[in-house]
Amino acid sequence: MPHPEFYRPYLTILIWGLLCEIIVMIYYITNNRYPFEFYLTFGLFWITLGEILRVIYTIRKEVKEEL
């Protein structure tokens, strides 16, 4: 199994993506506009959040196995 540091770049990219998605959703919500892009970003938000949680779970599992 890879060392937990292996997941660091993936986690960084996912967190930056999540921040960008939040900014885009705030933009659409403040302008009271809900085009297709808003719903697409909303769906991507949940997918990205799920992947972040999955990577964190995998890291925690590997750290526990090393102990």
Side-chain angles (χ1 to χ4, degrees):
M1 287 189 145
H3 192 270
E5 281 291 316
F6 173 79
Y7 298 102
R8 188 178 196 166
Y10 300 114
L11 200 54
T12 302
I13 291 170
L14 287 170
I15 289 173
W16 275 107
L18 187 71
L19 289 173
C20 291
E21 291 162 4
I22 290 171
I23 291 169
V24 169
M25 286 195 307
I26 289 172
Y27 168 77
Y28 283 124
I29 290 171
T30 56
N31 288 329
N32 205 19
R33 294 181 51 222
Y34 303 100
F36 170 74
E37 290 83 3
F38 171 78
Y39 296 107
L40 179 66
T41 304
F42 188 70
L44 288 173
F45 169 81
W46 291 110
I47 292 169
T48 306
L49 187 62
E51 287 299 311
I52 289 172
L53 294 175
R54 187 183 63 82
V55 169
I56 290 173
Y57 174 76
T58 304
I59 291 170
R60 289 185 65 201
K61 182 176 150 185
E62 289 182 10
V63 168
K64 284 182 181 180
E65 287 177 359
E66 287 180 3
L67 296 178

